[in-house]
C-alpha cells in the first residue's frame, strides 16, 4: 500500500476524507449506563479526535458538547450538572444540552451576552442500550441505525466497550480476518464456555480456508470455506457493514456477536462488542461468563474501559501456557489475544511494508471500498454506503452445504435478519 493511502484510511480528524465520511454515520458513543439518570456526572468523551463532554440534564435530555468552557477554556468535566445545564465551576457560566450558553453571571442579563455564546454540539440519541452520536452536517443526519440488536429487549443483549490502544483500521481488519481464528484462537474454540462443543469449532481444524467475498448493500459478505464431511463445505459468513461494523460467524446455539471499531483519535479506538440473541433471552450462565471477561468480552482496570491485561503488563503473557498449548499465543481471552497483537503493530501500522496473501482478500476489498467511498464523498459529494438502516439488518451465519451449492443459496434465510427467527449456526 502507498503511504498516502495508509494516511487516507487511518486519519479521521475533521477535514480529512475518512473523518468527513465517518461523520456521515451515527457512531456508537457510549453505553446507556454511562449516563444513567438526570443530573448524573458528566462524562468525558473523545470521538474522531474531538474532545467532548456528554451529559444528561435535569429533564433527562442528552447533550454532547465541546469539552471546554467558552469563557477561558476550563474542562466542563468539572462542571456542576444542575437545573437543566452544565455550569462551569470557575466563574459560573452555564450551558444547555445544545451547547447554548444560558447564563454569564458577571454580565447584566439585559446585555444579551450569554445568547451570543454557543459551544459546538452534536446530537446524542438513545437506541438499543447505546447512546449514538452524529457529528456530521445537520442537514445530512440519517435515521438511527437498524441493527437487529437495537430492536431487542435488554434481556436479549449484552454490550461492552473496551479501549484499544491503536488505530481503528488495524483493529477492524482483525474483525474481517477469518483466517487467524484457526491459529490465534484455536485453543479457545475448544475451551471458552461460549464456543466449545460446537461442530463449527471442529471444522476450523482446516487451516487453509478459501474465501469468496461479495459486495452487500452496505458492505461485504465475507465467506470463508473449509472442508467438511465428504462432498460438503463448512461456510463461515462474516458481515462487514460500512464503515466499521463486523459480525462474527456464530457457533452452535450460542448468541451472535458483532463489533464496532470506533476511532477515539488516530492512535486509539473503542472496540465495542455486541452480544445478542434474536430468538431467546441470554442465560444467567452466559451473562456470568461475559461479566467475568469470557466469550469475547474482557475484564477492566476498575473504573475505566482499559482492559486489565494491557501493554503495560505485557497482556499477562503466560509462556508456560503458550508452550503447553493451553492458549496458542500465551495470552488469555479471545479479545485480548486480538488486542495484544494489533497493538503490537504500533499505533498506526506501516502498511507500505506488508506482504499480503490470498487470505487477506477481505481486507483488501474492505480497504478499497472505504477508500472509494471517502473519495467519492470528498470529490463528488456522494453519500457513503451503509448509512441507511436496512443495510444493518443482516446476520452472520455458519452452515454446511453440498460442495456444488453457492453460499448465497441460503442468503434469505441465513444472512438477513428476521425478527424472532433462529440464527443459522452450526
Ligand atoms: S472558564 Fe468557565 S466560567 Fe470562566
Ligand atoms: Fe480474533
Amino acid at each position: 500500500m502507498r503511504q498516502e493511502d495508509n494516511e487516507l484510511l487511518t486519519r479521521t480528524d475533521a477535514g480529512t476524507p475518512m473523518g468527513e465520511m465517518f461523520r456521515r454515520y451515527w457512531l456508537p458513543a457510549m453505553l446507556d449506563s454511562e449516563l444513567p439518570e438526570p443530573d448524573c456526572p458528566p462524562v468525558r468523551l473523545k470521538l474522531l479526535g474531538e474532545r467532548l463532554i456528554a451529559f444528561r440534564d435535569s429533564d433527562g435530555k442528552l447533550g454532547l458538547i465541546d469539552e471546554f468552557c467558552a469563557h477561558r477554556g476550563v474542562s466542563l468535566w468539572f462542571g456542576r450538572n444542575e437545573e437543566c445545564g452544565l455550569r462551569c465551576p470557575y466563574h459560573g457560566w452555564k450551558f444547555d444540552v445544545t451547547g447554548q450558553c444560558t447564563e454569564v453571571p458577571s454580565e447584566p442579563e439585559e446585555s444579551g451576552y450569554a445568547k451570543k455564546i454557543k459551544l459546538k454540539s452534536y446530537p446524542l440519541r438513545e437506541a438499543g442500550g447505546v447512546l449514538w452520536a452524529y457529528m456530521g452536517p445537520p442537514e445530512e443526519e440519517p435515521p438511527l441505525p437498524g441493527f437487529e440488536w437495537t430492536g431487542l429487549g435488554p434481556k436479549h443483549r449484552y454490550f461492552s466497550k473496551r479501549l484499544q490502544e491503536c488505530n481503528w483500521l488495524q483493529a477492524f481488519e482483525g474483525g474481517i480476518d477469518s483466517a487467524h481464528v484457526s491459529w490465534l484462537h484455536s485453543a479457545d474454540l475448544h475451551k471458552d464456555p461460549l464456543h466449545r462443543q460446537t461442530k463449527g469449532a471442529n471444522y476450523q481444524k482446516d487451516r487453509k480456508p478459501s474465501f469468496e467475498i461479495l459486495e452487500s448493500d452496505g458492505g461485504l459478505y465475507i465467506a470463508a470455506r473449509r472442508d467438511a464431511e465428504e462432498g460438503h463445505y463448512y461456510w463461515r459468513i462474516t458481515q462487514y457493514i460500512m464503515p466499521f461494523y463486523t459480525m462474527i460467524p456464530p457457533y452452535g446455539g450460542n448468541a451472535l456477536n458483532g463489533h464496532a471499531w470506533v476511532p477515539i483519535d488516530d492512535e486509539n479506538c473503542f472496540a465495542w462488542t455486541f452480544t445478542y440473541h434474536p430468538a431467546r433471552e441470554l442465560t444467567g450462565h452466559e451473562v456470568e461468563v461475559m461479566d467475568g471477561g469470557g466469550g469475547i468480552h474482557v475484564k477492566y482496570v476498575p473504573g475505566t474501559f482499559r482492559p486489565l491485561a494491557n501493554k503495560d503488563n505485557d497482556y499477562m503473557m503466560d509462556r508456560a501456557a503458550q508452550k503447553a498449548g493451553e492458549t496458542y499465543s500465551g495470552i488469555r481471552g479471545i479479545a485480548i489475544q486480538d488486542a495484544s497483537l494489533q497493538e503490537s503493530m504500533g499505533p498506526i501500522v506501516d502498511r507500505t511494508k506488508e506482504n499480503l496473501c490470498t487470505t487477506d482478500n477481505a481486507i483488501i476489498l474492505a480497504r478499497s471500498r472505504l477508500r472509494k467511498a471517502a473519495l467519492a464523498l470528498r470529490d463528488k459529494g456522494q453519500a457513503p454506503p451503509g448509512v441507511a438502516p436496512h443495510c444493518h439488518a443482516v446476520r452472520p451465519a455458519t452452515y454446511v452445504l453440498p460442495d456444488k451449492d453457492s453460499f448465497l443459496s441460503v442468503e434469505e434465510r441465513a444472512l438477513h435478519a428476521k425478527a424472532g427467527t433462529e440464527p443459522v449456526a452450526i
Side-chain angles (χ1 to χ4, degrees):
M1 181 184 266
R2 293 175 310 167
Q3 180 56 21
E4 64 187 87
D5 285 334
N6 200 25
E7 290 287 310
L8 181 106
L9 289 172
T10 53
R11 307 276 175 199
T12 59
D13 280 0
T16 62
M18 196 60 65
E20 291 307 307
M21 187 175 87
F22 273 41
R23 283 167 174 76
R24 294 301 186 93
Y25 298 87
W26 283 99
L27 309 170
M30 305 169 79
L31 293 159
D32 60 359
S33 55
E34 292 181 73
L35 291 176
E37 59 193 19
D39 288 340
C40 60
V43 176
R44 290 186 193 96
L45 184 68
K46 196 175 187 193
L47 270 180
L48 308 182
E50 295 187 39
R51 288 181 63 170
L52 304 164
I53 285 285
F55 70 107
R56 198 186 278 276
D57 77 4
S58 316
D59 294 337
K61 282 196 213 119
L62 293 165
L64 184 61
I65 64 175
D66 194 335
E67 178 178 345
F68 303 102
C69 178
H71 180 210
R72 276 170 40 216
V74 159
S75 169
L76 291 170
W77 180 79
F78 292 95
R80 301 173 58 93
N81 190 5
E82 58 190 16
E83 293 158 356
C84 282
L86 201 53
R87 191 185 288 281
C88 177
Y90 212 8
H91 315 95
W93 291 29
K94 191 171 174 184
F95 302 91
D96 70 13
V97 287
T98 69
Q100 179 62 51
C101 182
T102 54
E103 244 181 88
V104 175
S106 60
E107 305 304 305
E109 218 185 305
E110 55 287 6
S111 72
Y113 186 70
K115 281 206 189 79
K116 289 180 226 143
I117 311 271
K118 191 167 189 295
L119 288 174
K120 172 174 79 183
S121 77
Y122 298 118
L124 186 66
R125 305 249 188 283
E126 201 159 2
V130 171
L131 305 185
W132 302 84
Y134 176 73
M135 298 168 68
E139 66 282 7
E140 301 290 345
E141 183 185 311
L144 280 168
F147 291 97
E148 183 166 37
W149 46 262
T150 52
L152 294 175
K155 292 196 169 149
H156 285 253
R157 52 175 156 88
Y158 184 103
F159 301 161
S160 70
K161 68 174 191 184
R162 64 176 164 81
L163 172 67
Q164 184 156 330
E165 296 170 69
C166 69
N167 182 260
W168 79 277
L169 185 63
Q170 68 212 49
F172 155 73
E173 287 173 350
I176 53 170
D177 171 12
S178 213
H180 81 279
V181 181
S182 298
W183 298 90
L184 180 61
H185 307 311
S186 50
D188 302 80
L189 296 182
H190 302 289
K191 284 210 191 78
D192 181 80
L194 304 187
H195 291 82
R196 68 185 173 208
Q197 288 165 352
T198 58
K199 251 182 140 178
N202 285 326
Y203 289 130
Q204 304 231 11
K205 280 190 216 117
D206 178 358
R207 287 176 157 180
K208 286 201 170 58
S210 321
F211 285 87
E212 270 182 46
I213 302 153
L214 298 177
E215 279 200 3
S216 61
D217 267 3
L220 299 171
Y221 288 146
I222 300 162
R225 193 187 80 193
R226 288 176 170 84
D227 287 336
E229 294 80 16
E230 190 59 34
H232 289 75
Y233 290 131
Y234 165 63
W235 290 95
R236 294 174 55 74
I237 321 298
T238 302
Q239 297 278 2
Y240 164 44
I241 301 147
M242 295 267 291
F244 48 47
Y245 296 96
T246 55
M247 293 181 182
I248 304 165
Y251 289 88
N254 291 303
L256 303 180
N257 283 294
H259 286 298
W261 315 90
V262 184
I264 295 172
D265 54 31
D266 291 344
E267 301 192 349
N268 297 278
C269 63
F270 272 125
W272 282 80
T273 301
F274 309 103
T275 300
Y276 62 101
H277 202 294
R280 65 164 172 84
E281 294 180 356
L282 301 181
T283 65
H285 174 246
E286 285 172 319
V287 172
E288 204 177 302
V289 167
M290 293 187 280
D291 278 342
I296 52 173
H297 299 265
V298 299
K299 284 194 201 141
Y300 297 95
V301 174
T304 75
F305 289 106
R306 193 179 196 216
L308 203 52
N310 56 55
K311 64 179 173 190
D312 293 340
N313 53 29
D314 279 332
Y315 309 91
M316 305 185 181
M317 164 62 89
D318 181 341
R319 292 285 176 194
Q322 187 186 47
K323 212 160 224 152
E326 272 170 56
T327 60
Y328 191 70
S329 76
I331 306 292
R332 282 185 207 285
I334 294 173
I336 300 299
Q337 287 160 6
D338 288 322
S340 58
L341 302 194
Q342 293 155 5
E343 290 180 4
S344 80
M345 300 165 166
I348 303 180
V349 67
D350 181 355
R351 290 183 174 76
T352 65
K353 292 187 178 155
E354 291 174 332
N355 295 288
L356 300 179
C357 61
T358 49
T359 57
D360 296 316
N361 274 345
I363 289 172
I364 295 168
L365 291 171
R367 288 176 184 174
S368 139
R369 196 143 199 215
L370 281 162
R371 181 176 174 280
K372 267 194 222 142
L375 294 181
L377 174 64
R378 185 191 69 183
D379 300 336
K380 297 181 212 143
Q382 207 171 301
V387 170
H390 79 268
C391 299
H392 311 141
V394 292
R395 278 183 188 167
T398 51
Y399 40 84
V400 171
L401 290 178
D403 55 12
K404 58 178 188 340
D405 290 356
S406 142
F407 81 88
L408 281 181
S409 60
V410 291
E411 179 183 17
E412 188 55 33
R413 185 167 64 90
L415 303 178
H416 294 176
K418 250 186 250 97
T421 60
E422 280 293 329
V424 173
I426 184 165

